[in-house]
Amino acid sequence: MSTKIQRPRGTRDLLPDDKVLFRFVEESAYEIGRLYGYGEIETPIFEFSDVFHRTLGETSDVVNKETYDFTDRGGENLTLRPEGTAGVARAFISEGLSQQLPLKLYYSGPMFRYERPQKGRYRQFYQLGAECLGYETPLADVECIGFAWDLLQKIGISADCTLEINTLGDTESRAAYRAALVQYFTAHQEQLSSDSKTRLEKNPLRILDSKDESDKKLVAGAPTLDQHLNENSQLFFKKVIAGIERLGIPYKLNSHLVRGLDYYCHTVFEFTTAKLGAQGTVLAGGRYDGLIESMGGPKTPGVGWAAGIDRLVDLTPKELTGKSEKLIAVIGADEQGEDESLFIAHQMRARGLKVENILSGKMGKKMQKANKLGAQYALILGNTEVENKQVTVKNFTTGEQTLISQSDLKTFNF
Ligand code: ATP
Ligand code: MG
């Protein structure tokens, strides 16, 4: 009995049509990033487990339940990267990049999380992201969100997306808020999910991000951070909001927005959509001033975001990605013509033209195939053409057919 060959659960095969969309999104991000001064970085797909386990926080869902951890043959504890920021921060430290601050870095690639697969949620998924390191000013947060917004506009999905934004405040404000949350959730402890009971001890803020229904009800009545923000934090957030308004980016304040990972402070934001069902967050980010220092590097402020490419492409209008490019078919009418067609096709591609050499089939079938592929021209070669160093050019749009010398092909205006 043969076993069926399958891909592992939660993975995808990206076929040529998918890759057209993926590339469009990635190239759009790369191009806009270039305008903003972002250089591209690529870190390893696996890192020492500590890079993620220590920095993402032991109470985050990602670290608790979702990482792919393994020991390699040399006994090293490694983890497939579940997100991009921790690896970029690790690279910043180990490559000694602090001399180059401020530093703006763009990345794109696969991430891995052991999650329950469903539409828009995979175990191997793709993110592109931006990290702006070295700026303490709220203007950096605004610029970073501006980059995200420009991207959503460029790929034609900004009208489907809403920017939700919140502040977590500075360390002092968060400590005050934390105390208020502990008091509130302790009073309602019996209604908390068991995960959130653990969070209550280790990181009560995380409860706000819970997906458990009973937790969600409690969260709706929980105190919000704005009541605990000190002056410094209020001022910071005001400047972010003023900047966003100045750029004309529509936004919604969401006082319950916290991010899934431990290292955020001040600004946190998400672009969400109603068009993708439960998996509605397409891009998410925030400020992480303490991260690099907590990993043993120099104190370095940072702000950034990551977008789920799988989700972005589900929203991107397909027509945006189609390049209107001329296609030329090369057709050998007999054996001699077929042999020569290789050379002619090669010459045309050297001119930068897109060429499909229709390698087999009877003449009529070949012409049909050229039509089906949407070719605007066919270059037809039979033994007479080959011997006279000529080629028949058929214009499919006008039906016109002309015999020209092969040397004129180099400059022929298709
Ligand atoms: P969610 O609440 O959907 O689980 P998250 O908070 O875990 O998201 P982040 O860590 O902020 O997600 O990752 C940034 C973005 O990457 C998300 O907004 C989403 O678009 C995408 N993303 C995260 N996990 C997955 C996944 N398993 N499959 C596909 N895309 C994902
Ligand atoms: Mg998640």
Side-chain angles (χ1 to χ4, degrees):
M1 222 180 73
S2 68
T3 47
K4 204 169 156 208
I5 303 284
Q6 286 181 324
R7 15 173 199 83
R9 230 164 97 71
T11 62
R12 340 173 42 187
D13 293 310
L14 299 174
L15 300 177
D17 285 349
D18 302 314
K19 286 297 287 189
V20 168
L21 283 162
F22 267 65
R23 261 187 196 275
F24 170 70
V25 168
E26 285 178 295
E27 280 168 11
S28 300
Y30 179 79
E31 181 52 28
I32 294 169
R34 197 181 64 76
L35 301 179
Y36 276 81
Y38 280 74
E40 188 170 16
I41 183 168
E42 183 154 348
T43 61
I45 283 174
F46 54 86
E47 298 268 0
F48 289 123
S49 296
D50 269 359
V51 167
F52 302 113
H53 284 246
R54 285 217 336 250
T55 56
L56 305 189
E58 290 296 343
T59 56
S60 74
D61 274 356
V62 172
V63 164
N64 259 346
K65 306 178 196 154
E66 298 175 0
T67 51
Y68 276 90
D69 302 313
F70 63 101
T71 311
D72 75 2
R73 290 167 199 271
E76 301 285 9
N77 292 323
L78 302 170
T79 295
L80 296 184
R81 62 182 188 195
E83 57 98 51
T85 307
V88 170
R90 195 274 309 141
F92 176 82
I93 298 167
S94 45
E95 304 296 331
L97 301 182
S98 60
Q99 299 307 312
Q100 299 178 29
L101 288 172
L103 187 60
K104 291 183 268 188
L105 298 167
Y106 160 86
Y107 65 81
S108 171
M111 305 292 164
F112 305 84
R113 296 183 192 177
Y114 191 81
E115 305 204 62
R116 195 167 65 77
Q118 51 202 292
K119 181 157 175 46
R121 188 175 296 284
Y122 308 97
R123 290 182 174 173
Q124 174 171 336
F125 62 101
Y126 298 83
Q127 278 186 344
L128 56 88
E131 314 291 357
C132 173
L133 304 175
Y135 279 124
E136 252 171 73
T137 162
L139 298 181
D141 306 42
V142 177
E143 196 181 72
C144 204
I145 293 171
F147 175 4
W149 178 245
D150 286 358
L151 170 62
L152 300 183
Q153 284 196 309
K154 179 155 181 151
I155 62 174
I157 71 172
S158 59
D160 298 329
C161 297
T162 312
L163 168 62
E164 295 186 41
I165 189 163
N166 189 25
T167 177
L168 302 177
D170 60 10
T171 320
E172 186 187 272
S173 305
R174 266 204 318 288
Y177 183 43
R178 187 181 195 280
L181 281 181
V182 169
Q183 198 181 16
Y184 172 82
F185 286 119
T186 308
H188 299 87
Q189 231 185 105
E190 65 293 345
Q191 284 151 265
L192 282 178
S193 68
S194 66
D195 276 350
S196 284
K197 282 186 181 127
T198 316
R199 293 179 185 125
L200 182 55
E201 282 163 33
K202 293 187 175 163
N203 188 349
L205 248 85
R206 182 52 50 61
I207 300 174
L208 303 178
D209 203 22
S210 172
K211 289 176 178 117
D212 178 274
E213 284 309 318
S214 165
D215 286 351
K216 277 188 184 170
K217 277 191 203 122
L218 269 186
V219 164
T224 54
L225 182 69
D226 33 353
Q227 299 140 13
H228 304 272
L229 282 182
N230 60 21
E231 218 181 308
N232 171 39
S233 304
Q234 284 179 28
L235 198 67
F236 192 99
F237 194 48
K238 257 196 196 135
K239 282 210 154 190
V240 173
I241 295 299
I244 285 178
E245 287 179 352
R246 184 74 185 84
L247 294 186
I249 305 171
Y251 69 94
K252 226 167 65 184
L253 296 175
N254 175 355
S255 62
H256 283 130
L257 181 68
V258 292
R259 302 278 313 115
L261 305 171
D262 265 357
Y263 48 62
Y264 288 100
C265 64
H266 287 297
T267 322
V268 286
F269 59 92
E270 289 187 352
F271 282 92
T272 56
T273 179
K275 289 206 159 176
L276 294 178
Q279 269 52 256
T281 307
V282 293
L283 186 151
R287 178 165 277 279
Y288 48 83
D289 292 347
L291 172 67
I292 290 175
E293 195 180 18
S294 79
M295 292 176 80
K299 192 168 169 6
T300 311
V303 55
W305 51 259
I309 307 178
D310 311 74
R311 296 182 193 177
L312 293 178
V313 301
D314 281 344
L315 292 174
T316 300
K318 307 245 175 325
E319 58 275 15
L320 271 187
T321 65
K323 277 199 208 133
S324 54
E325 198 177 10
K326 284 201 188 101
L327 175 68
I328 294 164
V330 178
I331 293 173
D334 49 33
E335 199 182 333
Q336 220 182 327
E338 279 179 349
D339 290 347
E340 186 69 1
S341 70
L342 276 183
F343 173 72
I344 298 292
H346 183 82
Q347 267 194 330
M348 292 299 97
R349 293 187 188 114
R351 268 187 67 180
L353 294 164
K354 189 174 168 188
V355 177
E356 187 67 35
N357 193 1
I358 304 185
L359 293 171
S360 70
K362 292 224 166 62
M363 189 57 194
K365 279 265 181 305
K366 282 178 171 168
M367 292 300 275
Q368 275 175 18
K369 175 92 184 169
N371 243 315
K372 210 169 144 203
L373 289 170
Q376 282 88 353
Y377 292 89
L379 304 182
I380 304 160
L381 295 143
N383 55 18
T384 335
E385 278 99 342
V386 175
E387 273 150 30
N388 299 332
K389 297 218 173 314
Q390 290 180 314
V391 59
T392 299
V393 181
K394 182 176 168 97
N395 181 330
F396 280 115
T397 323
T398 61
E400 229 178 306
Q401 207 157 299
T402 40
L403 190 65
I404 65 167
S405 95
Q406 287 184 13
S407 59
D408 286 345
L409 271 182
K410 291 197 189 89
T411 51
F412 189 87
N413 192 14
F414 289 103

